[in-house]
Amino acid sequence: MVTSSSIAYYSGNSKRYKLIFYYFLYGLIITLFSLKNNHKVKNRIMKVNCHYRGFTYEGAALAIAIKCMLFRNNVEKFEESTLSLSEGSIYQNYVALGWYLHARHKFKKSKYTYLNTKLNNRLSLIVFDGIGFKASIFNISGDITDKFNEFEIDQSRVCYQGYGRSLWFKSGFNIQTALYEIEKVPYKYKADVYSGLGLANAYSFFDKIETTLELTNLIPLDYRVAYIQGLSFGLEARRTQDARYWDETINSLPFSYIDIVNRMITIVHKAIEKFININDKTFYTIWVDEVRKEIKLAKIPCILDNKQE
């Protein structure tokens, strides 16, 4: 069973929320005002606590997006600069680019068409996660999700994933509040919102994986596979970003939890290998759907249930 103490642990973490926001801004500011010297920026970011370093890289990527895109729309320079700063933060880089593009173009679909030719096709849809997150996190009136329908279906889906991530933060890490908001989402996009919720949970509380997995039992059964897929993607983003921190954190878990996490990561990689030859702009949603299928076949939700017995 999910304990009330585990729910209270999350919803009582206002300090963590502030630190995430602080280090995001820190990365943004030190990069925005650097004189094209990524080496110095990287040295400063490497001094940040490893748990918050990814958020700092995301802020830095937003600064790079502003500098590269504001006047010249130089996507190639954006990718080159962000990867030179951190090769392992490519997911966060694309999310940050989405932040910038939404700030500049809002929901004008025509302004995003060039991304199909300028960005890595296999990951370019992640930009729309940043759009969905940024649009939602600063929205204080009305339902912003209606605007997601301005985009193509796969782009809309990833916007809803970003919206799901935003609910984790807007709720103050209170999963019950987030679940209430998800009930308002159109049926065909609910799974993607649950995916975003899981992704944000796993990434922001990577240092508390056992508690994170425990909260899975609060997710409605119909959407638990999508939520676990999001958890898997959040874990994969952590693994890719900082191998040392990953090893230290995972190896400190009880063996049964190590087994669960490794099985989730294996499914993520198995799906990539299955579609290794696909270089399509919809690759990301193809990847998402395949991971969900494999999670269901592997009965990962049942394994997580059993951990609470």
Side-chain angles (χ1 to χ4, degrees):
M1 295 178 63
V2 179
T3 63
S4 58
S5 61
S6 65
I7 297 172
Y9 173 81
Y10 276 80
S11 57
N13 261 273
S14 60
K15 180 180 179 182
R16 182 178 297 240
Y17 186 96
K18 292 174 183 176
L19 284 171
I20 288 172
F21 187 60
Y22 169 81
Y23 282 113
F24 177 84
L25 287 179
Y26 177 69
L28 171 66
I29 292 169
I30 64 172
T31 309
L32 195 59
F33 293 100
S34 70
L35 298 175
K36 300 180 180 180
N37 193 330
N38 272 0
H39 181 70
K40 286 186 177 180
V41 171
K42 187 171 185 176
N43 284 343
R44 295 181 70 174
I45 293 178
M46 289 302 294
K47 295 178 182 178
V48 171
N49 180 294
C50 54
H51 182 75
Y52 296 99
R53 200 175 294 154
F55 300 103
T56 313
Y57 278 124
E58 188 174 333
L62 176 56
I64 293 172
I66 294 170
K67 292 197 287 187
C68 292
M69 304 287 291
L70 187 57
F71 300 111
R72 294 177 294 172
N73 278 348
N74 196 335
V75 177
E76 293 87 350
K77 184 64 176 178
F78 167 79
E79 289 203 309
E80 177 187 332
S81 296
T82 52
L83 290 176
S84 70
L85 194 62
S86 173
E87 291 185 0
S89 298
I90 189 168
Y91 305 118
Q92 295 92 320
N93 294 345
Y94 278 17
V95 166
L97 181 58
W99 272 65
Y100 168 77
L101 291 174
H102 179 263
R104 184 173 179 181
H105 302 309
K106 302 304 181 191
F107 296 99
K108 296 177 182 177
K109 180 180 176 180
S110 62
K111 298 293 186 179
Y112 297 90
T113 54
Y114 72 94
L115 296 177
N116 294 335
T117 58
K118 297 292 186 179
L119 292 175
N120 178 337
N121 271 345
R122 292 168 67 86
L123 297 176
S124 60
L125 275 176
I126 298 175
V127 167
F128 290 89
D129 179 296
I131 292 169
F133 182 93
K134 190 267 179 186
S136 172
I137 204 74
F138 293 114
N139 183 55
I140 57 174
S141 61
D143 182 7
I144 196 68
T145 60
D146 288 343
K147 295 289 187 178
F148 299 162
N149 299 322
E150 301 288 331
F151 298 119
E152 297 173 7
I153 183 65
D154 291 282
Q155 296 169 340
S156 296
R157 286 185 59 187
V158 185
C159 280
Y160 274 100
Q161 176 183 287
Y163 175 70
R165 284 200 309 115
S166 78
L167 290 180
W168 181 239
F169 291 94
K170 291 179 78 171
S171 69
F173 307 135
N174 188 315
I175 196 165
Q176 292 174 321
T177 300
L179 294 181
Y180 173 79
E181 292 299 321
I182 294 176
E183 286 303 306
K184 304 174 186 178
V185 173
Y187 171 77
K188 68 177 180 179
Y189 293 116
K190 275 188 179 179
D192 295 308
V193 179
Y194 275 106
S195 172
L197 184 68
L199 203 162
N201 189 340
Y203 192 87
S204 59
F205 281 82
F206 176 60
D207 56 337
K208 302 293 180 183
I209 294 177
E210 292 177 63
T211 308
T212 297
L213 294 178
E214 182 180 329
L215 291 185
T216 301
N217 293 306
L218 287 177
I219 305 300
L221 287 173
D222 289 345
Y223 297 103
R224 201 167 290 181
V225 165
Y227 179 79
I228 294 169
Q229 170 263 310
L231 290 177
S232 302
F233 274 38
L235 291 172
E236 172 64 5
R238 279 291 188 181
R239 189 197 66 82
T240 303
Q241 185 215 327
D242 191 332
R244 182 176 179 179
Y245 182 41
W246 170 269
D247 288 339
E248 290 175 352
T249 304
I250 299 303
N251 291 336
S252 68
L253 295 172
F255 178 78
S256 57
Y257 282 92
I258 295 175
D259 180 60
I260 292 173
V261 170
N262 285 339
R263 291 187 68 178
M264 292 164 71
I265 294 297
T266 297
I267 287 173
V268 169
H269 293 173
K270 181 180 177 182
I272 294 176
E273 292 169 4
K274 182 173 181 178
F275 300 109
I276 194 69
N277 294 321
I278 293 180
N279 187 32
D280 186 86
K281 65 180 182 179
T282 62
F283 173 83
Y284 184 74
T285 47
I286 293 173
W287 184 21
V288 164
D289 292 339
E290 180 64 18
V291 169
R292 290 179 190 172
K293 185 178 78 173
E294 291 295 330
I295 285 171
K296 187 173 183 179
L297 289 173
K299 300 181 179 179
I300 296 292
C302 296
I303 295 173
L304 294 180
D305 285 343
N306 291 338
K307 298 315 298 177
Q308 308 309 321
E309 293 181 355

